[in-house]
Amino acid sequence: MHNIVGLFRKSKNDLEKGGITPIVEEKMRCPVCKSTETKRRIAKNKMVCPSCGNHFRIGARIRIKALCDKGSFQELITELSTNDPLEFPGYEVKLESGKMGSGEDEAVLCGRASFRGQECALFVMEPQFMMGSMGSVVGEKLARLFEYAAEEKLPVVGFTCSGGARMQEGILSLMQMAKVSGAVDYHSKRGGLYITVLTDPTTGGVTASFAMLGDIILSEPNATIGFAGRRVIEQTTKKKLPDDFQKAEFLLEHGFVDAIVPRTEMRATLATLLRQHGQREHSAALVDALLKQEVQQVRENTLSPYERVIAARAQNRPTTRAYIEKMFADRTEFHGDRKFADDRAIIGGIGMLGGMPVTFIGIERGRNLEERIQCNFGSPMPEGYRKALRLMKQAEKFQRPIICFVDTAGAFCGEEAEERGQGQAIADNLMEMMAIKVPIITIVIGEGGSGGALGLSVASKVYMLENAVFSVISPEGCASILWGEASPEASAEAARCLCITAEDMKRFGVAERIIAENFSAFDDMCLELKEIIRGDLKEIYTLSPEISEKRYERFRKLGSWKENG
């Protein structure tokens, strides 16, 4: 809603004449919070309400001007024009109306642009042209853009805003979904990065094709995203849907969106992601890295195995998130398994380790009671392991090392976990991690509980913090099963018999390093850990070009047996 108000100031002529000149400034009213603000201020805020953060729906060229580097957009693929293949009643009128309303020839703009100097191929859908619907020309322009990006070795950034496939072009419109999906795959198989930004609304056939195929899927806040329309679902199911149904926040919770990024932060976020993915050779970033020899422990660890279990479980012990926040700069956290949900017990994303982009993944227990409940007290669900594997495969595609943090009593034990395939999810991780062709370093920072911990520990190297433990079963569980009691004395004896300490892991070849704990100087401890990781990564890259084969050889040696005869 627009309001015109008059503002007044005195000019030089006015002062001489004793009069005033009115300045008329257009105002806009936010449909969400009902506040009124000058259009100029809202435009300066990238068409986001300064009062409540509501994102106004904007045209393609306005979006390009607001987010891309000034003057960087070069339009491509302008030679196509839309016809009426079905001679559909009223379609030509609709096309003319779309052109008049948007000033564009079709519902998508394609070209090259940059975000803070990071070049990419770009498409932006135009909501004022038949609600951004996809017909043959939209599909063809997008397919050509992905093919162009593959040949030019450019990443693709796409802003979606669409009501779906264009009915007036019938089956030919439907086929564009498959065509563009194939073009996305063509670009992806040649190592191309594809980032989608979902804006309000992204629905129908666009959602069911290229909008949800990004390596990274971002969304503006409160965007409507879905396949079938809300009204259609309610009419079909005879149920009232929740207010947040098919909103960006709903999709984030259910594992389909990596991150929700406000428009005011979008340029910086895209620039960071493009820069990190553009760096796929790491020798320059590791040129000053030194292989750290493990120092002899200055103090002898006098804690018994069970006392170390208690220390590993201590609530005041730093959690995975604390290490990530200290060790990695320019972080972007990603969410979801793209299948069911986002498990908060596993956190992951991209960050910079020194000058090198890495993927970080870790099991998070939570730092207070509210967080612990949200994180299942550090016991991942199947969707958590699937999220971790998705991020690992993404790291492999873009040649990033993977740093994992383990701190869990074990995978979540419950009916819903079994229904969703807990064993299958862990098994998939073990097999896939063994074959991943980039370095994986796992740090056990607390408790390493059974298969739930192993699901992030099929690594090139494993570190153990000095009071961390790694075990096939908890001491209490072992004592209860074997001896019928889980008293502290029985549990302590089980911990001793199981050989679960960092020294035991080093002796068995399960771990390569023991990291001294110094939580009172946690910053220094994390800095030292960073340098140890950098040195080991340099060694892996230098000495082990066949990274996955070396990982298999590492695990092939583990075990104890006698040869008969």
Side-chain angles (χ1 to χ4, degrees):
M1 184 176 181
H2 301 263
N3 294 325
I4 304 295
V5 297
L7 301 178
F8 300 90
R9 72 180 178 199
K10 292 186 178 182
S11 67
K12 183 178 179 181
N13 289 336
D14 292 331
L15 290 171
E16 292 173 354
K17 299 177 181 178
I20 57 174
T21 300
I23 299 174
V24 178
E25 195 161 4
E26 193 173 2
K27 283 203 170 188
M28 295 177 65
R29 176 170 293 169
C30 175
V32 176
C33 69
K34 310 304 180 186
S35 66
T36 301
E37 188 52 76
T38 63
K39 190 172 182 180
R40 180 167 48 184
R41 187 182 176 201
I42 291 175
K44 190 174 181 181
N45 202 40
K46 304 189 186 306
M47 298 305 291
V48 176
C49 175
S51 299
C52 72
N54 171 53
H55 284 52
F56 289 88
R57 194 176 292 173
I58 57 177
R61 292 195 189 271
I62 294 175
R63 189 179 297 278
I64 290 167
K65 183 178 179 181
L67 298 180
C68 296
D69 294 346
K70 186 176 181 180
S72 69
F73 180 66
Q74 303 170 36
E75 191 170 358
L76 301 171
I77 317 171
T78 59
E79 64 275 14
L80 304 177
S81 59
T82 302
N83 57 21
D84 184 3
L86 307 185
E87 298 182 354
F88 199 93
Y91 186 31
E92 290 189 358
V93 174
K94 285 278 189 181
L95 289 172
E96 286 304 314
S97 177
K99 291 176 183 179
M100 295 267 304
S102 66
E104 306 298 340
D105 290 331
E106 252 299 348
V108 68
L109 287 177
C110 296
R112 290 180 69 135
S114 63
F115 296 88
R116 294 189 174 176
Q118 301 298 316
E119 277 199 277
C120 65
L122 176 73
F123 72 83
V124 184
M125 303 195 78
E126 174 53 72
Q128 294 182 55
F129 192 107
M130 297 187 68
M131 200 47 243
S133 60
M134 179 168 62
S136 297
V137 168
V138 170
E140 183 64 19
K141 288 181 74 170
L142 291 172
R144 291 189 188 186
L145 183 72
F146 278 98
E147 291 165 355
Y148 168 84
E151 298 306 316
E152 295 291 319
K153 295 181 170 51
L154 286 172
V156 175
V157 174
F159 291 84
T160 63
C161 182
S162 177
R166 190 173 296 172
M167 293 179 291
Q168 291 88 343
E169 293 189 24
I171 194 68
L172 297 178
S173 175
L174 187 69
M175 292 302 108
Q176 304 311 305
M177 295 167 58
K179 174 199 287 186
V180 180
S181 299
V184 172
D185 184 60
Y186 178 88
H187 177 256
S188 179
K189 284 179 176 174
R190 286 152 182 80
L193 169 68
Y194 174 33
I195 302 175
T196 54
V197 182
L198 311 178
T199 74
D200 184 55
T202 297
T203 59
V206 169
T207 300
S209 57
F210 63 89
M212 304 304 290
L213 293 177
D215 295 295
I216 299 168
I217 300 178
L218 308 178
S219 176
E220 290 188 336
N222 205 41
T224 297
I225 306 158
F227 178 53
R230 180 189 182 97
R231 189 182 308 166
V232 172
I233 296 172
E234 287 185 332
Q235 289 173 349
T236 302
T237 62
K238 311 299 183 189
K239 291 180 181 178
K240 173 69 175 171
L241 296 171
D243 290 341
D244 67 344
F245 184 74
Q246 293 185 324
K247 292 298 184 182
E249 293 73 15
F250 178 90
L251 268 74
L252 184 76
E253 180 183 349
H254 287 80
F256 296 102
V257 169
D258 279 299
I260 296 174
V261 181
R263 195 178 294 158
T264 51
E265 300 172 15
M266 189 64 72
R267 178 187 287 178
T269 299
L270 290 173
T272 297
L273 292 173
L274 290 170
R275 173 173 50 80
Q276 290 170 335
H277 282 81
Q279 188 177 334
R280 304 191 191 186
E281 204 285 320
H282 305 300
S283 57
L286 293 172
V287 67
D288 63 338
L290 299 173
L291 181 63
K292 297 273 187 176
Q293 299 298 325
E294 192 170 358
V295 297
Q296 189 71 27
Q297 293 284 351
V298 176
R299 62 186 187 279
E300 182 181 353
N301 196 327
T302 59
L303 296 180
S304 71
Y306 194 56
E307 287 172 334
R308 297 198 202 185
V309 172
I310 294 170
R313 295 171 178 169
Q315 292 188 4
N316 61 350
R317 193 176 179 88
T319 67
T320 287
R321 193 172 289 280
Y323 288 90
I324 289 171
E325 289 173 353
K326 291 293 182 183
M327 292 174 61
F328 306 111
D330 295 336
R331 298 179 306 276
T332 303
E333 186 176 337
F334 294 150
H335 298 265
D337 63 346
R338 301 274 178 95
K339 287 178 170 55
F340 181 78
D342 179 48
D343 182 7
R344 297 189 185 184
I346 288 188
I347 57 178
I350 305 174
M352 299 298 290
L353 182 74
M356 176 174 55
V358 300
T359 288
F360 59 82
I361 303 168
I363 303 174
E364 173 63 24
R365 286 179 178 266
R367 295 171 287 192
N368 52 54
L369 181 58
E370 182 181 358
E371 286 186 5
R372 291 184 191 113
I373 292 170
Q374 292 173 347
C375 297
N376 286 327
F377 293 85
S379 293
M381 299 288 278
E383 50 268 26
Y385 291 106
R386 291 179 179 124
K387 171 169 69 172
L389 182 57
R390 178 176 76 84
L391 296 180
M392 290 181 204
K393 299 298 285 185
Q394 183 188 90
E396 181 181 37
K397 176 181 175 181
F398 298 108
Q399 301 166 32
R400 284 193 299 273
I402 301 164
I403 313 299
C404 294
F405 298 86
V406 168
D407 185 15
T408 180
F412 185 78
C413 178
E415 181 182 1
E416 59 268 52
E418 295 302 316
E419 287 175 345
R420 300 202 285 273
Q422 186 72 285
Q424 181 73 61
I426 294 172
D428 287 342
N429 278 27
L430 303 188
M431 184 174 71
E432 295 286 350
M433 288 181 74
M434 193 68 77
I436 280 178
K437 299 184 186 304
V438 296
I440 304 173
I441 292 178
T442 292
I443 307 138
V444 183
I445 62 172
E447 196 171 7
S450 194
L454 187 61
L456 292 186
S457 301
V458 182
S460 308
K461 290 182 181 288
V462 172
Y463 306 164
M464 299 283 296
L465 265 61
E466 62 178 294
N467 288 319
V469 294
F470 209 156
S471 180
V472 68
I473 191 172
S474 70
E476 297 86 354
C478 177
S480 178
I481 292 171
L482 295 184
W483 305 321
E485 63 168 314
S487 65
E489 294 77 15
S491 298
E493 177 63 12
R496 185 189 67 80
C497 293
L498 285 167
C499 298
I500 61 178
T501 68
E503 290 83 0
D504 293 324
M505 296 307 108
K506 186 92 178 285
R507 174 164 56 93
F508 291 139
V510 171
E512 280 73 22
R513 289 184 180 272
I514 299 174
I515 305 297
E517 296 177 5
N518 186 10
F519 299 142
S520 61
F522 189 59
D523 288 5
D524 293 338
M525 178 183 164
C526 288
L527 183 61
E528 177 68 13
L529 184 54
K530 281 175 60 175
E531 292 309 308
I532 291 172
I533 292 171
R534 293 180 71 242
D536 280 351
L537 286 174
K538 185 175 183 178
E539 180 190 42
I540 293 169
Y541 280 121
T542 303
L543 302 180
S544 308
E546 303 299 329
I547 290 171
S548 59
E549 287 81 356
K550 293 291 184 182
R551 190 179 302 120
Y552 177 62
E553 289 175 14
R554 177 186 182 277
F555 279 86
R556 192 68 180 80
K557 298 172 185 176
L558 297 179
S560 177
W561 59 85
K562 291 181 180 179
E563 297 282 357
N564 293 327

